């Protein structure tokens, strides 16, 4: 009976939109906006056509003005830059194209002076084949012989005696095509590389490799970084068995995507590795009480990523909202609910909608939804990971490799203000920079940039820091409605018409529960015809033009007239509604009550 009473109470708490008050202070990262910077493309300060540390430092005030809490800089270590900087030749020095180590220290110190945290992209899975470790390992030098994964050919004896063609140890494949095994003529063995052959995988079953990586982390943490983003974490360990991976479809050609990767990804040892690095970072916290975060990159099942949380990672990056297909409101609702309701108690939600490896969302969804997608990213609870240029609606270029990594568009001058040199930028700038750039958008109150800033400011409210989340879906899966609420504070409602072809007509009083009768417009996208400060009644019909996005609040009600409506548009249809919350506090209450009643 006690159990039933507690369960009913918790259900009532949830569906009555009553949030249990917070009991702890949020750490710096838990409501952060993390701004990803691909340094080659952000700002060139010395006219060589490539972005650099001084360029980033020069633009830190701009980043602060966006409402950003932390910057994540993709790899800047010494590298031949054959694989975007993820091909490292020295973890303890910087790539000279970005500047000097002193330039990085200046960037770090200036960022900290502006209350910006700096997250370093950490690449433990592989190095460049030009790294001194690999060169020594290829020569079979004793101290480095097992720094990488070396295996004999299946016909090793025949290769050595008769110069036969080496046969690979198994069917493991590289992500970018071909066998994962590359024959090395000097060592007369195969080495393993999961991505491309110039990126040999390190052997984390070698204790010395662990020591090397801990030395790397110690070095950069002492220098002042505030956390690490661990690249390709799910690939760090492989099974020692060397068995063939199961083929998914025997009728299809052998390639990476036709194998069930039970031996090359998501091995259990990864959890211990996270714990090892968590302990290292926490050792520093004991002396200065400052949290250094672990953010991870693994396109893995959520059940695995949730174990990252419990192993010590604050931000196991949630890629489930990234484009793989055209998400509808129902798709977003399902993915958000699946993470929030199943993540470990005390964990913090996070989301990313675009990054350097994926199509920018204006290219994928269309320009009509630029404001809507930025608003969605910033409206969700927890950590919002955004990508440079997303705030001004930058799109992909035609470059086949670096399509999402083109130079930042600062103004409408030659080369978009990215570089003032006669040197061409390292990769082509998108031709729309003439109209879509920071300088131009700063002057337009209804621009993508100013819309982004308006939403980001809301994240400083108590409602966004600690409040709940409710999701409603209207008009046959076309209108996406999110409400952030907190008892005793103002509530905010985001409406996105994700139909980019038709105007949708909605009446909030028919569809969304627990809204005030009169709401104020905080901001409306340029394609919405809704203006900040105006008030609307939840009983009136609202016309949402294709892709239109508006944010409403029950605070600071204006006396301005409401928005006129058009009787010719499609009427609202019944909604599918789910109330989602940052429910860890409710769960904790349940546990507390269960303890009291000794259940």
């Amino acid at each position: 009976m006690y159990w039933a009473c507690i369960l009913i109470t918790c259900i009532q708490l949830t569906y009555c939109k009553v949030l249990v008050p917070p009991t702890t202070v949020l750490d710096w990262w838990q409501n952060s906006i993390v701004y990803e910077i691909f340094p080659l493309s952000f700002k060139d300060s010395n006219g060589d056509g490539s972005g650099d540390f001084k360029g980033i430092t020069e633009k830190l005030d701009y980043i602060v003005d966006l409402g950003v809490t932390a910057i994540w800089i993709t790899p800047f270590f010494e590298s031949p830059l054959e694989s975007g900087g993820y091909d490292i030749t020295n973890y303890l020095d910087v790539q000279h194209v970005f500047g000097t180590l002193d330039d990085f220290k200046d960037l770090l110190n200036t960022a900290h002076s502006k209350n910006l945290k700096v997250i370093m992209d950490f690449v433990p899975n592989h190095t460049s084949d030009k790294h001194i470790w690999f060169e020594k390992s290829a020569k079979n030098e004793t101290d480095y012989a097992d720094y990488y994964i070396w295996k004999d050919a299946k016909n090793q004896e025949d290769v050595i005696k008769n110069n036969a063609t080496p046969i690979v140890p198994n069917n493991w494949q590289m992500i970018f095509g071909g066998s994962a095994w590359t024959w090395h003529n000097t060592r007369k063995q195969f080495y393993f590389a999961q991505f491309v052959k110039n990126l040999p995988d390190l052997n984390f079953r070698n204790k010395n490799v662990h020591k090397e990586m801990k030395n790397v982390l110690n070095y950069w943490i002492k220098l002042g970084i505030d956390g690490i983003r661990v690249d390709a974490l799910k690939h760090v360990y492989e099974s020692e068995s060397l068995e063939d991976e199961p083929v998914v479809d025997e009728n299809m050609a052998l390639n990476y995507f036709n194998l069930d990767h039970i031996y090359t990804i998501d091995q259990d040892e990864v959890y211990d590795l996270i714990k090892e690095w968590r302990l290292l970072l926490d050792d520093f916290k004991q002396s200065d009480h400052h949290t250094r975060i672990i953010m991870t990159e693994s396109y893995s099942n959520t059940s695995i990523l949730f174990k990252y949380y419990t192993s010590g990672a604050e931000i196991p990056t949630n890629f489930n909202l990234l484009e793989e297909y055209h998400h509808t409101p129902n798709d977003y609702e399902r993915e958000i609910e699946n993470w929030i309701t199943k993540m470990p108690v005390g964990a913090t939600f996070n989301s990313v909608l675009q990054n350097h490896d994926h199509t920018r969302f204006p290219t994928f969804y269309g320009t009509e939804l630029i404001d809507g997608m930025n608003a969605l990213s910033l409206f969700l609870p927890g950590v919002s990971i955004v990508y440079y240029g997303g705030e001004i609606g930058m799109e992909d270029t035609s470059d086949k490799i670096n399509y999402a990594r083109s130079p930042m568009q600062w103004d409408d001058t030659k080369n978009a203000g990215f570089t003032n040199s006669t040197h061409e930028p390292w990769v082509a700038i998108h031709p729309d920079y003439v109209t879509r750039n920071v300088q131009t958008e700063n002057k337009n109150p209804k621009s993508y940039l100013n819309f982004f800033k308006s939403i980001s400011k809301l994240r400083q409210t108590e409602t966004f820091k600690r409040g709940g989340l409710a999701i409603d879906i209207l008009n046959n899966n076309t209108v996406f409605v999110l409400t952030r609420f907190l008892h005793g504070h103002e509530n905010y409602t985001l409406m996105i018409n994700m139909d980019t072809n038709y105007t949708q007509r909605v009446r909030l009083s028919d569809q969304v529960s627990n809204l005030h009768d009169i709401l104020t417009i905080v901001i409306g996208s340029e394609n919405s015809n809704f203006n900040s400060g105006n008030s609307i009644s939840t009983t009136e019909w609202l016309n949402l033009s294709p892709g239109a996005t508006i944010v409403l609040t029950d605070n600071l009600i204006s006396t301005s007239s409401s928005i006129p409506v058009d009787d010719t548009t499609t009427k609202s249809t019944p909604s599918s509604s789910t109330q989602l919350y940052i429910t860890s506090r409710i769960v904790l209450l349940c546990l507390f009550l269960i303890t009291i009643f000794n259940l």
Side-chain angles (χ1 to χ4, degrees), residues 241-262:
S241 71
L242 287 188
E243 293 180 47
D244 281 355
E245 292 193 311
V247 176
V248 176
D249 187 344
E250 295 287 352
N251 296 318
M252 300 281 289
L254 179 64
N255 61 53
Y256 184 84
F257 301 99
N258 194 28
L259 291 176
D260 183 6
H261 301 291
I262 59 175

Side-chain angles (χ1 to χ4, degrees), residues 64 108 244 252 276 303 344 385 445 482 494 529 549:
V64 170
L108 194 61
D244 281 355
M252 300 281 289
E276 181 180 315
S303 62
I385 304 169
L482 294 86
L494 168 67
N529 296 317
T549 301

Side-chain angles (χ1 to χ4, degrees), residues 66-126:
L66 291 176
V68 167
T69 314
I71 56 174
W72 150 33
I73 308 175
T74 61
F76 50 78
F77 308 105
E78 185 179 294
S79 164
L81 296 179
E82 296 170 345
S83 298
Y86 288 88
D87 48 327
I88 295 165
T89 52
N90 185 354
Y91 287 95
L92 302 180
D93 203 357
V94 299
Q95 162 55 245
H96 65 85
V97 75
F98 300 132
T100 65
L101 187 59
D102 284 338
D103 292 334
F104 177 76
K105 291 178 182 178
D106 183 54
L107 164 58
L108 194 61
N109 293 332
T110 306
H112 287 162
S113 73
K114 299 178 185 297
N115 204 28
L116 274 175
K117 303 297 189 291
V118 178
I119 300 168
M120 178 185 80
D121 212 323
F122 177 50
V123 188
N125 179 68
H126 51 261

